[in-house]
Amino acid sequence: ERKRVGERKWKAQGDVSMKIKALMIPDPISITEKTSIKEAIEVMKVNSIRHLPVTGEGNMLVGFVTLADLRTGLIPSMVAGLTLSDLMIKNPIIVEPDSDIEIAAQLIYKHKISGIPVVKKGRLVGIITESDMLRAFIDMMGILRASSRVDVSIGSEPGMLRKAVQIIEEQGGEIVNVGMTPQKTRKKVYFFRLNPCDTSLIKDALEEEGFKVVAAMD
């Protein structure tokens, strides 16, 4: 078994093309098909994890099991001899370490799964979970950092977003990241997260140029 490493330090903060290998837990704990269901559950409990890749010779991935599946099969395994091989997903959804994180996010959302083995040439090299994705998203968005925010309604006319950014920067605002409402409307609200600052000057300057400032928070 390989030991799960500690929390990753996200190196590509704010990089929309971040690779899965930057987020995955490398060399994750794994088990073999010979592991009993009871033993697999104990491994998960001791290590506070909910997924276990199942590997064979040469660390080749042969399956994937979740804590929920194992708990469901625990009693039948005692009564009817159900084994780990009967419960594991034999052809799990996988991703490669050099793929973009968007691929993992789409798969997790589409298939309503909480973890994906990361495989290179058939060999297990890592695992990425919905928790890893959420933690990376929070870090990239700077949500837990001390920050200011200005929410601005911006039309679809060419150059308007660029103009708003220019005004914010001219008034001393240092933009950490920008988000926006997903609705397909003529006007969208853009959320400018800034390093801590007095947003009153930024708000006034934007409104003088005809922008609608929905909210401004120091």
Side-chain angles (χ1 to χ4, degrees):
E1 291 179 356
R2 291 175 172 78
K3 295 299 180 184
R4 183 182 177 95
V5 300
E7 289 188 6
R8 302 283 290 163
K9 291 183 179 179
W10 315 122
K11 297 179 181 179
Q13 191 174 53
D15 183 0
V16 294
S17 62
M18 187 188 296
K19 303 301 182 182
I20 287 171
K21 62 186 176 184
L23 300 184
M24 72 181 189
I25 300 298
D27 300 322
I29 294 169
S30 62
I31 55 176
T32 70
E33 289 183 85
K34 295 180 180 180
T35 305
S36 71
I37 294 173
K38 186 176 180 181
E39 289 171 337
I41 292 175
E42 187 62 24
V43 169
M44 289 187 176
K45 288 173 62 179
V46 168
N47 294 280
S48 300
I49 54 179
R50 294 179 294 157
H51 321 84
L52 276 175
V54 184
T55 57
E57 188 176 349
N59 206 35
M60 299 296 287
L61 183 73
V62 296
F64 196 60
V65 291
T66 69
L67 182 57
D69 291 335
L70 293 178
R71 283 176 170 168
T72 300
L74 182 58
I75 299 302
S77 70
M78 296 176 179
V79 177
L82 201 67
T83 67
L84 183 73
S85 183
D86 296 319
L87 293 178
M88 74 180 188
I89 303 166
K90 292 184 172 62
N91 293 295
I93 294 168
I94 60 173
V95 289
E96 296 184 353
D98 290 320
S99 296
D100 291 341
I101 60 171
E102 287 91 341
I103 292 177
Q106 290 167 2
L107 289 171
I108 285 174
Y109 179 79
K110 178 180 179 180
H111 297 282
K112 295 179 174 58
I113 53 180
S114 55
I116 307 177
V118 184
V119 174
K120 185 173 184 178
K121 295 182 179 179
R123 289 182 170 81
L124 177 72
V125 295
I127 187 171
I128 187 165
T129 71
E130 59 182 352
S131 297
D132 298 324
M133 300 289 291
L134 178 60
R135 190 160 54 246
F137 171 77
I138 288 173
D139 190 65
M140 286 189 291
M141 293 298 291
I143 293 172
L144 299 183
R145 266 188 274 161
S147 62
S148 300
R149 205 178 92 192
V150 178
D151 301 347
V152 187
S153 177
I154 299 178
S156 58
E157 297 86 351
M160 293 302 289
L161 175 58
R162 187 182 303 110
K163 184 177 180 181
V165 170
Q166 182 180 350
I167 292 170
I168 291 171
E169 291 180 339
E170 286 176 349
Q171 297 302 318
E174 297 178 357
I175 298 174
V176 176
N177 59 63
V178 182
M180 68 176 181
T181 52
Q183 291 88 351
K184 294 181 179 180
T185 57
R186 192 176 65 84
K187 284 193 173 184
K188 293 183 178 180
V189 176
Y190 286 78
F191 312 106
F192 295 92
R193 190 172 296 277
L194 316 172
N195 281 330
C197 64
D198 181 353
T199 60
S200 60
L201 292 177
I202 297 173
K203 179 178 182 295
D204 291 343
L206 286 167
E207 290 179 338
E208 284 179 10
E209 292 296 328
F211 289 97
K212 180 182 178 181
V213 178
V214 178
M217 295 162 280
D218 290 350

